Amino acid sequence: MVKVAVVGASGYTGVELLRLLAAHPQVEISCVTSRQTVGEEISTLFPSLRGKVNLRCDPGDPELVAAKADFVFTALPHQSAMEVVPSLLAAGRKVVDLSADYRLRDVAVYRQWYQEHTSPELLAEAVYGLPELHREQIRSARLVANPGCYPTSVALGLAPLLKQGLIDHPSLIVDSKSGTSGAGRSAKVGSLFCEVNEGFAAYGVGRHRHTPEIEQTLSQLAGEAVRVNFTPHLLPVNRGILSTCYATLLGNHDSAALLALYREHFRGEGFVRICPEGSLPNIAFVRGSNFCDIGLVSDQRTGRVIVVSTIDNLVKGAAGQAVQNMNLMLGFAEDAGLGGLGAFP
Amino acid sequence: MVKVAVVGASGYTGVELLRLLAAHPQVEISCVTSRQTVGEEISTLFPSLRGKVNLRCDPGDPELVAAKADFVFTALPHQSAMEVVPSLLAAGRKVVDLSADYRLRDVAVYRQWYQEHTSPELLAEAVYGLPELHREQIRSARLVANPGCYPTSVALGLAPLLKQGLIDHPSLIVDSKSGTSGAGRSAKVGSLFCEVNEGFAAYGVGRHRHTPEIEQTLSQLAGEAVRVNFTPHLLPVNRGILSTCYATLLGNHDSAALLALYREHFRGEGFVRICPEGSLPNIAFVRGSNFCDIGLVSDQRTGRVIVVSTIDNLVKGAAGQAVQNMNLMLGFAEDAGLGGLGAFP
Amino acid sequence: MVKVAVVGASGYTGVELLRLLAAHPQVEISCVTSRQTVGEEISTLFPSLRGKVNLRCDPGDPELVAAKADFVFTALPHQSAMEVVPSLLAAGRKVVDLSADYRLRDVAVYRQWYQEHTSPELLAEAVYGLPELHREQIRSARLVANPGCYPTSVALGLAPLLKQGLIDHPSLIVDSKSGTSGAGRSAKVGSLFCEVNEGFAAYGVGRHRHTPEIEQTLSQLAGEAVRVNFTPHLLPVNRGILSTCYATLLGNHDSAALLALYREHFRGEGFVRICPEGSLPNIAFVRGSNFCDIGLVSDQRTGRVIVVSTIDNLVKGAAGQAVQNMNLMLGFAEDAGLGGLGAFP
Amino acid sequence: MVKVAVVGASGYTGVELLRLLAAHPQVEISCVTSRQTVGEEISTLFPSLRGKVNLRCDPGDPELVAAKADFVFTALPHQSAMEVVPSLLAAGRKVVDLSADYRLRDVAVYRQWYQEHTSPELLAEAVYGLPELHREQIRSARLVANPGCYPTSVALGLAPLLKQGLIDHPSLIVDSKSGTSGAGRSAKVGSLFCEVNEGFAAYGVGRHRHTPEIEQTLSQLAGEAVRVNFTPHLLPVNRGILSTCYATLLGNHDSAALLALYREHFRGEGFVRICPEGSLPNIAFVRGSNFCDIGLVSDQRTGRVIVVSTIDNLVKGAAGQAVQNMNLMLGFAEDAGLGGLGAFP
């Protein structure tokens, strides 16, 4: 049993990591940290864990964490993550970082969308942890930057089209909708039940921080710079992301042909499911699971393809993908601890 | 007091009409019809009406309705509407029809997206009931075709841009999201609470019947044929439509300039509210009201404008707009009975 | 037009008062106060008000408020209310206070459940603002203590039984469920969307502060001291309270007889609706309205009566009842501005 | 691997059984039946199963099922279940029946609350499948009657008090609230999203069919006939039951003492968790898991104990408990396939 730590366990990503790791056959959760609740039982914060995860919160000092665990998940806000990750690596620990701090290759882009980076030398080393795109590099990585939730849904949804050069990228538009757990567990008026429930709105239009991450991955796939409109919206559900992507097709490709291409592209990928023609994904069917479900329609009237991609933002969009990365980094079966189906309804 | 009838009162549009009409100072509800529940108190079907609307359901025969009312709202499914509307007109009654039967000018388009039309001669006469576009024709109409919910949100959201020729129409993409009351009150597995709640999905991609209606109005505004991608999604809320519209700008126009244009375009319109720069609409703020709230962002990075338009699908998207049309047709103040603010939260 | 002020307008009760007052034919909102947002447009806080309520937030000083308004609603937390109410009265203004500060007759009880009272002399004067019980005293009151939301639902639900002495009070149990707007608009983790949505729990069992208020009213109705178990639960909805009340019947009374008694008791009451036999109320049917819907079942197997009472906690449970009280205090029609039906769905 | 069949797989209990069984290390799902969708892929009905459960629906004939499986779950409506269970037993298959058909010991009681029983001889043999009460009989049973969802929450919540004779049973009142999946997947207006969402109501007051089942179990625990008021309510959530139980204490027992008794009573029970003093359960924390969480308060003011018990109605209240029973009947570890924690949020 490998001893693993979850640094920053008091948020929604943290508790989801603990849920998944508690059911993982090859690891033992040996340390959970939460600055604000040091000394408290983690199951007091999250009674869902009671009886299975019996640990008290430690402070987040990297030395302590490195002493207690062989493998570390950092589930901290950006900026906080880069305060601890270098020390954890220096102590010889492998790390999956779930923040945005090591996702962007270009430190100038990071500075522009976030702030100054304090360990830019690690950007070159960090591997972007989307196993369906970078599996081999992940296997040998010390530091994996776990992708953002929106970017995961978009990259998987568009990879086959961009790889094959079937779309005109300047036409790309991504209209995404996310469940509220993506906004985190901090007490803000905008995240109150009565503000979100029975409501729906776009936010961060033209300036959401996942934009450069999306463009970085799509550009790699396309082999040239891709620029997109990315518009996130807040959904009144706990979990789930659905991205509706629009692009003008180069040449005539009907839905059946494109779906065949997608099935071929993702053949052997255990966590990507392609919907049959005439069927589209629903966040309800991936809830709690590590699947990414993708459907599409080729609209002959307008010459556009509409791709719809869904994930559970806390699983394939965060904790599940992090465990998938850990499995690769530690040589476990890639789906160890991740075999659960979504609970519908 | 003008006597009004609601034909097809057992659906969500019907009960919303009754709510609004019960508070209208110049009309009296004299007749409600519902084929399946003839003889039952309408307040048994909808206990929200108890104590204010004390009527039993009549069968929907046009002769009976015409005998009991001077003005008629037909809130029937398409095809059923055109079975009664001609008789009501022949009996000298003015009609606002909330179905799709009289919205399309071109009978061939109707045939293609719906079925054969049985009173095509009325298509020329019927006025498309979007007061912000066709106020004067509505005033003198016998038959008003009340617009669809999605088309209302899209037409109002894009009117200023199309009128001024500021966008490249082939680039137009409309990504819409609707509350579940839009699916009606019929018992279908797909509308069950457990299927919709905590779920989200696109539907009817590339083939939703509101597409030709949207294109008809946008084409009128643009002065030439407009073709759009329209993608509706089902939101787990009772009420509300939010349409996110994307288009490439012709020339450089920043958000402030475009918002100024919108405010100018809708000056004097009591039911359209333009959000201040930096603010975007939320369906929560129009719930229960007849407002259409519109916000926008000009994205200088991509040269596109993103317009977000919200309405309550049962009010401005159906019953409220129908009452607004009635007010115009009967010479009442346009906002009579429609002054209520949305109830937030 | 009487000028009215809403002191503490930034909460959910505040915005609901503004919604109702904006539609009231005999008043003009002349002042809104909110300490944290002085100078801001109230419609920036609550965009639902945009276009109808165009006022900037004032600080809450009673002198300023008294200078701007003839009638004042104080929608402040308890303790804050008693800091301003005495000055408002001294300045000759009539006040409806929506906090708990003037609801309890006995200052010792107030001290035990809340804290020290700073204007105990007003407790004798303040009238408990449940019009269905105290209409005449309200008409001539300077200060009305607007009832709590739970107590309103319980008092109306049990009044006929207690008045007629038909139940054994020691057997009384009240199991209540409230929508989340009752928890207010302050940013607390426990009120976040993801904590409340898809959840349900009891809280404050055996120690909720509405207990003494409920017991005070039930004791008045019964003519002797009544003690109850009151258990509130948090519902994942925005609005609505449903109280399920259990009591052992003295003597044999079937449902029909008890319902006849209820109809008789509430004859002429415009805001109380008694469900027909076999039908029970649903919070969905009072949402947004000032109605209290009551249903009951006499269970012959166990000799108990089960009474179910529903209100919208923000309307009949707060702002609507406050307006009803204002109407009585100012000699307006009791239902002025309160005629709206609930918006279903 | 034991081959198992799920008869009646098209409902919410069916799909939940498939989710749990797909993750069970010692069984293989060899047959799923659904009369209305014979020949269809079960993953077309429930896309959440795609990629893991690849079976087409069979008709439900017992011979076919017995030929394909060694162990059978019948997830049919009552009455339909007793049409197939006797044949399955006759064919030598062990059965967990999730309907109500074999839960009641007394055929007269069954007849009174349901209809005529067609295999009354099996009532004596069938074991009531609440492992925490009847573990040993379940181990050797051929036919286990899986308990109802409400009865499970109530029996576990009250067992220690009744066993120890600490409460006055005539005082017992059970106020329960259930998520909407309990109403099943059939298309009824009352289960539509817009009817349930933002609503809350009691139903079946005084006549819900779980009443005799609850009374049967509580009577066994008490050693004498117990009669209760049981009032179910419909919650606008997908999953979860919370039962609030009230009883007058015999003697003075504070919360700490009663909680100690509960911990002692359930010592070693892996699926029952007792909340610490001052904490109460929330359905959000058992969602998706097989746990029953119980909390309580002893109210010294009124001499009553209030017990709050929560389960996921589809897991411990149906499919999870069924798997737990299968595990006992087949000699597996009792928690095999049931180790998952609830997914919060």
Side-chain angles (χ1 to χ4, degrees), chain B residues 174-218:
Chain B
V174 175
D175 190 282
S176 292
K177 302 87 178 174
S178 172
T180 304
S181 57
R185 208 192 188 203
S186 59
K188 292 172 291 192
V189 167
S191 299
L192 291 178
F193 180 83
C194 288
E195 307 285 316
V196 174
N197 183 45
E198 295 296 288
F200 186 70
Y203 68 98
V205 178
R207 53 188 177 73
H208 191 281
R209 284 165 161 173
H210 281 178
T211 307
E213 185 183 341
I214 290 170
E215 292 182 343
Q216 172 178 285
T217 307
L218 300 191

Short mmCIF file of all heavy atoms in Angstrom, two decimals, chain B residues 174-218:
data_model
loop_
_atom_site.label_atom_id
_atom_site.label_comp_id
_atom_site.label_asym_id
_atom_site.label_seq_id
_atom_site.Cartn_x
_atom_site.Cartn_y
_atom_site.Cartn_z
N VAL B 174 -26.44 30.44 -31.98
CA VAL B 174 -27.31 30.68 -30.83
C VAL B 174 -27.34 29.43 -29.97
O VAL B 174 -27.78 28.37 -30.41
CB VAL B 174 -28.75 31.03 -31.29
CG1 VAL B 174 -29.67 31.16 -30.09
CG2 VAL B 174 -28.75 32.31 -32.12
N ASP B 175 -26.83 29.56 -28.75
CA ASP B 175 -26.82 28.46 -27.80
C ASP B 175 -27.81 28.81 -26.69
O ASP B 175 -27.56 29.70 -25.89
CB ASP B 175 -25.39 28.29 -27.26
CG ASP B 175 -25.20 27.02 -26.46
OD1 ASP B 175 -25.64 27.00 -25.29
OD2 ASP B 175 -24.64 26.06 -26.99
N SER B 176 -28.94 28.09 -26.66
CA SER B 176 -30.02 28.46 -25.75
C SER B 176 -30.25 27.39 -24.69
O SER B 176 -29.96 26.21 -24.90
CB SER B 176 -31.33 28.66 -26.53
OG SER B 176 -31.26 29.79 -27.37
N LYS B 177 -30.75 27.84 -23.56
CA LYS B 177 -31.01 26.95 -22.45
C LYS B 177 -32.38 27.30 -21.88
O LYS B 177 -32.62 28.46 -21.58
CB LYS B 177 -29.96 27.12 -21.35
CG LYS B 177 -28.52 26.88 -21.81
CD LYS B 177 -27.85 28.15 -22.38
CE LYS B 177 -26.41 27.93 -22.78
NZ LYS B 177 -25.82 29.12 -23.47
N SER B 178 -33.23 26.29 -21.72
CA SER B 178 -34.59 26.57 -21.27
C SER B 178 -34.97 25.77 -20.04
O SER B 178 -34.62 24.61 -19.90
CB SER B 178 -35.59 26.22 -22.37
OG SER B 178 -36.93 26.31 -21.88
N GLY B 179 -35.73 26.39 -19.17
CA GLY B 179 -36.35 25.70 -18.05
C GLY B 179 -37.32 24.65 -18.54
O GLY B 179 -37.80 24.69 -19.69
N THR B 180 -37.68 23.73 -17.65
CA THR B 180 -38.42 22.54 -18.03
C THR B 180 -39.89 22.79 -18.29
O THR B 180 -40.56 21.99 -18.96
CB THR B 180 -38.21 21.46 -16.97
OG1 THR B 180 -36.79 21.25 -16.83
CG2 THR B 180 -38.83 20.15 -17.37
N SER B 181 -40.44 23.90 -17.82
CA SER B 181 -41.85 24.15 -18.11
C SER B 181 -42.07 24.29 -19.61
O SER B 181 -43.18 24.06 -20.09
CB SER B 181 -42.36 25.39 -17.37
OG SER B 181 -41.59 26.53 -17.71
N GLY B 182 -41.02 24.62 -20.33
CA GLY B 182 -41.12 24.68 -21.79
C GLY B 182 -41.48 23.35 -22.43
O GLY B 182 -41.99 23.31 -23.55
N ALA B 183 -41.23 22.27 -21.72
CA ALA B 183 -41.56 20.94 -22.26
C ALA B 183 -43.02 20.57 -22.02
O ALA B 183 -43.48 19.51 -22.44
CB ALA B 183 -40.65 19.88 -21.64
N GLY B 184 -43.76 21.43 -21.34
CA GLY B 184 -45.18 21.19 -21.15
C GLY B 184 -45.49 20.27 -19.99
O GLY B 184 -44.60 19.78 -19.30
N ARG B 185 -46.82 20.06 -19.81
CA ARG B 185 -47.26 19.31 -18.63
C ARG B 185 -47.66 17.88 -18.95
O ARG B 185 -48.34 17.23 -18.18
CB ARG B 185 -48.46 20.04 -18.01
CG ARG B 185 -48.58 19.81 -16.53
CD ARG B 185 -49.89 20.27 -15.94
NE ARG B 185 -49.84 20.19 -14.49
CZ ARG B 185 -50.89 20.10 -13.71
NH1 ARG B 185 -52.10 20.15 -14.23
NH2 ARG B 185 -50.75 19.98 -12.40
N SER B 186 -47.26 17.38 -20.12
CA SER B 186 -47.66 16.01 -20.42
C SER B 186 -46.70 15.03 -19.76
O SER B 186 -45.52 15.30 -19.56
CB SER B 186 -47.73 15.80 -21.93
OG SER B 186 -46.49 16.05 -22.51
N ALA B 187 -47.26 13.88 -19.43
CA ALA B 187 -46.53 12.88 -18.65
C ALA B 187 -45.60 12.09 -19.56
O ALA B 187 -46.02 11.17 -20.25
CB ALA B 187 -47.53 11.96 -17.95
N LYS B 188 -44.32 12.49 -19.59
CA LYS B 188 -43.32 11.79 -20.38
C LYS B 188 -42.15 11.45 -19.47
O LYS B 188 -41.79 12.25 -18.59
CB LYS B 188 -42.80 12.71 -21.50
CG LYS B 188 -43.80 13.03 -22.57
CD LYS B 188 -43.26 14.09 -23.53
CE LYS B 188 -43.15 15.44 -22.84
NZ LYS B 188 -42.91 16.57 -23.76
N VAL B 189 -41.56 10.29 -19.67
CA VAL B 189 -40.43 9.89 -18.83
C VAL B 189 -39.34 10.96 -18.85
O VAL B 189 -38.76 11.32 -17.82
CB VAL B 189 -39.87 8.53 -19.26
CG1 VAL B 189 -38.51 8.26 -18.61
CG2 VAL B 189 -40.84 7.42 -18.88
N GLY B 190 -39.07 11.51 -20.01
CA GLY B 190 -37.99 12.49 -20.12
C GLY B 190 -38.21 13.76 -19.34
O GLY B 190 -37.27 14.52 -19.11
N SER B 191 -39.44 14.02 -18.92
CA SER B 191 -39.73 15.22 -18.13
C SER B 191 -39.88 14.93 -16.65
O SER B 191 -40.21 15.83 -15.87
CB SER B 191 -41.01 15.90 -18.63
OG SER B 191 -40.89 16.29 -19.98
N LEU B 192 -39.65 13.69 -16.25
CA LEU B 192 -39.77 13.34 -14.82
C LEU B 192 -38.71 14.08 -14.01
O LEU B 192 -37.61 14.35 -14.49
CB LEU B 192 -39.61 11.84 -14.62
CG LEU B 192 -40.73 10.95 -15.16
CD1 LEU B 192 -40.39 9.48 -14.92
CD2 LEU B 192 -42.06 11.29 -14.51
N PHE B 193 -39.06 14.34 -12.78
CA PHE B 193 -38.13 15.05 -11.90
C PHE B 193 -36.76 14.39 -11.89
O PHE B 193 -35.73 15.06 -12.07
CB PHE B 193 -38.68 15.09 -10.47
CG PHE B 193 -37.77 15.80 -9.51
CD1 PHE B 193 -37.79 17.18 -9.42
CD2 PHE B 193 -36.88 15.10 -8.72
CE1 PHE B 193 -36.93 17.85 -8.56
CE2 PHE B 193 -36.01 15.77 -7.85
CZ PHE B 193 -36.04 17.14 -7.78
N CYS B 194 -36.73 13.07 -11.69
CA CYS B 194 -35.43 12.40 -11.54
C CYS B 194 -34.62 12.36 -12.84
O CYS B 194 -33.41 12.12 -12.80
CB CYS B 194 -35.62 10.98 -11.02
SG CYS B 194 -36.10 10.92 -9.29
N GLU B 195 -35.27 12.57 -13.96
CA GLU B 195 -34.55 12.58 -15.24
C GLU B 195 -33.93 13.96 -15.50
O GLU B 195 -32.92 14.07 -16.19
CB GLU B 195 -35.49 12.23 -16.39
CG GLU B 195 -36.28 10.94 -16.19
CD GLU B 195 -35.43 9.69 -16.40
OE1 GLU B 195 -34.65 9.64 -17.37
OE2 GLU B 195 -35.55 8.75 -15.58
N VAL B 196 -34.58 14.99 -15.00
CA VAL B 196 -34.18 16.36 -15.31
C VAL B 196 -33.28 16.95 -14.22
O VAL B 196 -32.27 17.59 -14.50
CB VAL B 196 -35.43 17.24 -15.49
CG1 VAL B 196 -35.06 18.71 -15.66
CG2 VAL B 196 -36.26 16.76 -16.68
N ASN B 197 -33.67 16.72 -12.98
CA ASN B 197 -32.94 17.26 -11.84
C ASN B 197 -31.50 16.76 -11.84
O ASN B 197 -31.24 15.57 -12.05
CB ASN B 197 -33.65 16.79 -10.56
CG ASN B 197 -33.03 17.36 -9.31
OD1 ASN B 197 -32.72 18.54 -9.23
ND2 ASN B 197 -32.83 16.50 -8.31
N GLU B 198 -30.57 17.66 -11.57
CA GLU B 198 -29.14 17.31 -11.56
C GLU B 198 -28.66 16.82 -12.92
O GLU B 198 -27.61 16.19 -13.01
CB GLU B 198 -28.81 16.29 -10.46
CG GLU B 198 -29.03 16.79 -9.06
CD GLU B 198 -28.11 17.95 -8.71
OE1 GLU B 198 -26.90 17.74 -8.52
OE2 GLU B 198 -28.61 19.08 -8.62
N GLY B 199 -29.43 17.10 -13.95
CA GLY B 199 -29.02 16.75 -15.30
C GLY B 199 -28.93 17.99 -16.17
O GLY B 199 -29.37 19.09 -15.78
N PHE B 200 -28.38 17.82 -17.35
CA PHE B 200 -28.31 18.90 -18.33
C PHE B 200 -27.90 18.28 -19.65
O PHE B 200 -26.97 17.47 -19.70
CB PHE B 200 -27.29 19.97 -17.91
CG PHE B 200 -27.28 21.18 -18.82
CD1 PHE B 200 -28.34 22.06 -18.83
CD2 PHE B 200 -26.20 21.42 -19.67
CE1 PHE B 200 -28.35 23.17 -19.67
CE2 PHE B 200 -26.20 22.53 -20.50
CZ PHE B 200 -27.27 23.40 -20.51
N ALA B 201 -28.60 18.64 -20.72
CA ALA B 201 -28.30 18.06 -22.02
C ALA B 201 -28.80 18.97 -23.12
O ALA B 201 -29.73 19.76 -22.91
CB ALA B 201 -28.95 16.68 -22.15
N ALA B 202 -28.20 18.83 -24.28
CA ALA B 202 -28.72 19.47 -25.49
C ALA B 202 -29.77 18.54 -26.10
O ALA B 202 -29.77 17.33 -25.85
CB ALA B 202 -27.60 19.72 -26.48
N TYR B 203 -30.66 19.10 -26.88
CA TYR B 203 -31.65 18.26 -27.57
C TYR B 203 -32.03 18.92 -28.90
O TYR B 203 -31.84 20.12 -29.08
CB TYR B 203 -32.89 18.04 -26.68
CG TYR B 203 -33.72 19.28 -26.43
CD1 TYR B 203 -34.87 19.55 -27.17
CD2 TYR B 203 -33.36 20.19 -25.46
CE1 TYR B 203 -35.63 20.69 -26.93
CE2 TYR B 203 -34.11 21.33 -25.21
CZ TYR B 203 -35.24 21.57 -25.95
OH TYR B 203 -35.99 22.71 -25.72
N GLY B 204 -32.56 18.12 -29.78
CA GLY B 204 -33.04 18.66 -31.05
C GLY B 204 -31.96 19.40 -31.83
O GLY B 204 -32.29 20.33 -32.59
N VAL B 205 -30.70 19.02 -31.66
CA VAL B 205 -29.61 19.78 -32.30
C VAL B 205 -29.76 19.73 -33.82
O VAL B 205 -29.87 18.66 -34.42
CB VAL B 205 -28.24 19.21 -31.87
CG1 VAL B 205 -27.11 19.97 -32.57
CG2 VAL B 205 -28.08 19.31 -30.36
N GLY B 206 -29.81 20.88 -34.41
CA GLY B 206 -29.91 20.98 -35.87
C GLY B 206 -31.30 20.79 -36.42
O GLY B 206 -31.52 20.92 -37.62
N ARG B 207 -32.28 20.50 -35.55
CA ARG B 207 -33.61 20.24 -36.09
C ARG B 207 -34.76 20.70 -35.18
O ARG B 207 -35.89 20.24 -35.31
CB ARG B 207 -33.76 18.75 -36.41
CG ARG B 207 -33.41 17.88 -35.24
CD ARG B 207 -33.38 16.40 -35.60
NE ARG B 207 -32.96 15.62 -34.45
CZ ARG B 207 -33.72 15.40 -33.37
NH1 ARG B 207 -34.96 15.85 -33.31
NH2 ARG B 207 -33.24 14.72 -32.34
N HIS B 208 -34.49 21.62 -34.27
CA HIS B 208 -35.56 22.12 -33.41
C HIS B 208 -36.48 23.02 -34.23
O HIS B 208 -36.03 23.84 -35.02
CB HIS B 208 -34.98 22.88 -32.22
CG HIS B 208 -36.00 23.18 -31.16
ND1 HIS B 208 -36.91 24.21 -31.28
CD2 HIS B 208 -36.27 22.58 -29.99
CE1 HIS B 208 -37.69 24.22 -30.21
NE2 HIS B 208 -37.33 23.25 -29.41
N ARG B 209 -37.79 22.88 -33.99
CA ARG B 209 -38.78 23.60 -34.78
C ARG B 209 -38.78 25.11 -34.61
O ARG B 209 -39.48 25.82 -35.35
CB ARG B 209 -40.18 23.06 -34.44
CG ARG B 209 -40.44 21.72 -35.07
CD ARG B 209 -41.64 21.07 -34.45
NE ARG B 209 -42.16 20.02 -35.31
CZ ARG B 209 -43.14 19.19 -34.96
NH1 ARG B 209 -43.69 19.30 -33.77
NH2 ARG B 209 -43.57 18.26 -35.78
N HIS B 210 -38.09 25.61 -33.60
CA HIS B 210 -38.01 27.06 -33.49
C HIS B 210 -36.98 27.66 -34.45
O HIS B 210 -36.91 28.87 -34.60
CB HIS B 210 -37.69 27.46 -32.04
CG HIS B 210 -38.89 27.40 -31.13
ND1 HIS B 210 -38.83 27.68 -29.78
CD2 HIS B 210 -40.19 27.11 -31.39
CE1 HIS B 210 -40.03 27.56 -29.25
NE2 HIS B 210 -40.88 27.22 -30.19
N THR B 211 -36.21 26.79 -35.09
CA THR B 211 -35.17 27.29 -36.01
C THR B 211 -35.75 28.14 -37.14
O THR B 211 -35.31 29.28 -37.35
CB THR B 211 -34.35 26.12 -36.57
OG1 THR B 211 -33.87 25.32 -35.47
CG2 THR B 211 -33.17 26.61 -37.39
N PRO B 212 -36.75 27.65 -37.88
CA PRO B 212 -37.27 28.51 -38.97
C PRO B 212 -37.91 29.79 -38.45
O PRO B 212 -37.86 30.82 -39.13
CB PRO B 212 -38.30 27.60 -39.66
CG PRO B 212 -38.63 26.54 -38.67
CD PRO B 212 -37.39 26.33 -37.85
N GLU B 213 -38.51 29.73 -37.28
CA GLU B 213 -39.11 30.95 -36.72
C GLU B 213 -38.03 31.97 -36.38
O GLU B 213 -38.17 33.17 -36.67
CB GLU B 213 -39.93 30.58 -35.47
CG GLU B 213 -40.69 31.76 -34.89
CD GLU B 213 -41.44 31.39 -33.62
OE1 GLU B 213 -41.68 30.19 -33.37
OE2 GLU B 213 -41.77 32.32 -32.85
N ILE B 214 -36.95 31.50 -35.78
CA ILE B 214 -35.83 32.40 -35.47
C ILE B 214 -35.27 32.99 -36.77
O ILE B 214 -35.05 34.20 -36.87
CB ILE B 214 -34.73 31.62 -34.72
CG1 ILE B 214 -35.20 31.27 -33.31
CG2 ILE B 214 -33.42 32.41 -34.68
CD1 ILE B 214 -34.29 30.31 -32.56
N GLU B 215 -35.08 32.13 -37.75
CA GLU B 215 -34.49 32.61 -39.00
C GLU B 215 -35.41 33.60 -39.71
O GLU B 215 -34.96 34.56 -40.34
CB GLU B 215 -34.14 31.43 -39.92
CG GLU B 215 -32.99 30.60 -39.33
CD GLU B 215 -32.55 29.44 -40.20
OE1 GLU B 215 -33.31 29.04 -41.11
OE2 GLU B 215 -31.46 28.90 -39.96
N GLN B 216 -36.71 33.37 -39.62
CA GLN B 216 -37.66 34.30 -40.26
C GLN B 216 -37.52 35.70 -39.67
O GLN B 216 -37.43 36.69 -40.40
CB GLN B 216 -39.08 33.76 -40.06
CG GLN B 216 -40.18 34.71 -40.50
CD GLN B 216 -41.55 34.08 -40.32
OE1 GLN B 216 -41.97 33.20 -41.08
NE2 GLN B 216 -42.27 34.50 -39.29
N THR B 217 -37.47 35.78 -38.35
CA THR B 217 -37.39 37.10 -37.71
C THR B 217 -36.03 37.74 -37.93
O THR B 217 -35.93 38.94 -38.23
CB THR B 217 -37.68 36.98 -36.20
OG1 THR B 217 -38.91 36.31 -36.03
CG2 THR B 217 -37.76 38.35 -35.56
N LEU B 218 -34.97 36.96 -37.79
CA LEU B 218 -33.64 37.54 -37.98
C LEU B 218 -33.46 38.00 -39.42
O LEU B 218 -32.83 39.03 -39.69
CB LEU B 218 -32.55 36.53 -37.60
CG LEU B 218 -32.55 36.03 -36.15
CD1 LEU B 218 -31.27 35.26 -35.86
CD2 LEU B 218 -32.72 37.17 -35.15
#
